[in-house]
Amino acid sequence: MDQQWPEGPNADPHAARERYHADLRTSRAAVRQLFRVQLPLAHLGLMLAAVATAFVSVLWSTKTGMIIAGAFAALFAVATAVALLSGRRGWGAARAAYTFTFGWVGWITP
């Protein structure tokens, strides 16, 4: 099978493949850096979620507060399932789910 390369018929397929893999590695590293969260920031996110849930429960109704707490619990459960399906086990899966669920605080703090 003859492949068509953007560089023309004299292109080196091995060099093109290496450029593709290098670009892919760079892209994945940028995404990992974007979603990298420190554990203390995730703890802060948990605290803010708990305070917001309590605040909403007192200000509006207990039912609304429970809906917010349930949403965070559901997000944690889905994140744990995804972490387990991706091959992480035990505390590694729990930590990945925890930092995903409550790591959003890293985007709102300087």
Side-chain angles (χ1 to χ4, degrees):
M1 179 161 119
D2 195 26
Q3 294 182 350
Q4 299 293 325
W5 298 95
E7 294 89 1
N10 296 327
D12 181 16
H14 181 68
R17 197 170 295 113
E18 286 300 318
R19 279 195 311 276
Y20 170 76
H21 288 301
D23 290 343
L24 195 60
R25 281 191 301 271
T26 304
S27 175
R28 287 180 179 169
V31 169
R32 275 194 309 272
Q33 184 63 30
L34 176 67
F35 289 111
R36 183 166 288 146
V37 177
Q38 300 294 327
L39 203 54
L41 285 178
H43 293 326
L44 180 62
L46 174 63
M47 183 194 70
L48 286 176
V51 168
T53 300
F55 181 74
V56 167
S57 294
V58 169
L59 202 59
W60 280 283
S61 69
T62 306
K63 184 178 177 181
T64 308
M66 295 305 290
I67 289 171
I68 293 172
F72 277 109
L75 179 62
F76 182 77
V78 169
T80 303
V82 169
L84 289 171
L85 289 173
S86 70
R88 295 184 183 195
R89 296 287 178 244
W91 287 110
R95 181 179 173 149
Y98 181 73
T99 56
F100 178 79
T101 304
F102 299 109
W104 51 265
V105 77
W107 294 349
I108 62 172
T109 58

